[in-house]
Amino acid sequence: MSTETNDRAKAMGLLARADATRLAALFPDLPEHALLRGPETGAVMVRGRQGGTGAPFNLGEMSVTRCSVQLASGAVGHAHVQGRDKAHARRAAVIDALLQGDDSLRATVLKPLAEAEAARRQARAAKAGATKVEFFTMVRGED
């Protein structure tokens, strides 16, 4: 996978995981765009693996909303977001299209989203770490 493709995939993942209200606050005004595939909500099957390496199994279904847009410049953007928030999917698709020609959005939109995601992960890890139990064995008697 090329670096450009990898960067775009990371940006699309970050936009999909972002809080919709935070994303709307960071990028409130959408530029003129045409809907190639309007926001549509559907379901996808979520698969899992026991222990991360076992045989795959169907875990259940999850709601997903997708959208594809085209800007006046011709750039096409796509988005898939968890849930039924059509505005979130549309905004993420527009930002994906804009990122293909404008790197300034990386600093104004993606960087704050990445920092917020890192803070959420750190808080969750700290909460989980607080429940850690240390087990030890005491030796009884001598052999």
Side-chain angles (χ1 to χ4, degrees):
M1 186 182 311
S2 72
T3 305
E4 183 179 324
T5 304
N6 194 23
D7 288 347
R8 185 173 179 202
K10 286 180 182 178
M12 290 174 79
L14 188 60
L15 291 168
R17 291 185 305 272
D19 179 59
T21 55
R22 176 82 169 129
L23 185 59
L26 289 171
F27 194 76
D29 301 319
L30 297 180
E32 191 67 34
H33 61 279
L35 291 173
L36 298 177
R37 178 184 296 141
E40 303 170 323
T41 301
V44 295
M45 181 60 67
V46 178
R47 301 199 65 177
R49 291 181 183 265
Q50 187 169 356
T53 58
F57 63 94
N58 293 337
L59 187 62
E61 291 184 345
M62 175 179 80
S63 296
V64 175
T65 303
R66 68 180 181 181
C67 185
S68 295
V69 299
Q70 184 172 24
L71 301 178
S73 66
V76 175
H78 306 281
H80 290 81
V81 299
Q82 181 179 347
R84 299 175 172 270
D85 192 342
K86 292 180 179 183
H88 183 190
R90 186 178 202 158
R91 190 173 312 279
V94 169
I95 294 172
D96 175 50
L98 289 170
L99 283 171
Q100 295 175 44
D102 184 7
D103 280 344
S104 67
L105 288 177
R106 293 193 185 283
T108 58
V109 176
L110 295 185
K111 185 177 179 188
L113 292 177
E115 289 169 353
E117 183 177 62
R120 278 193 313 271
R121 287 183 182 198
Q122 185 176 10
R124 190 167 75 187
K127 186 176 178 180
T131 65
K132 183 178 178 182
V133 178
E134 296 286 341
F135 291 97
F136 60 93
T137 305
M138 293 180 55
V139 177
R140 294 186 192 188
E142 294 183 312
D143 289 350

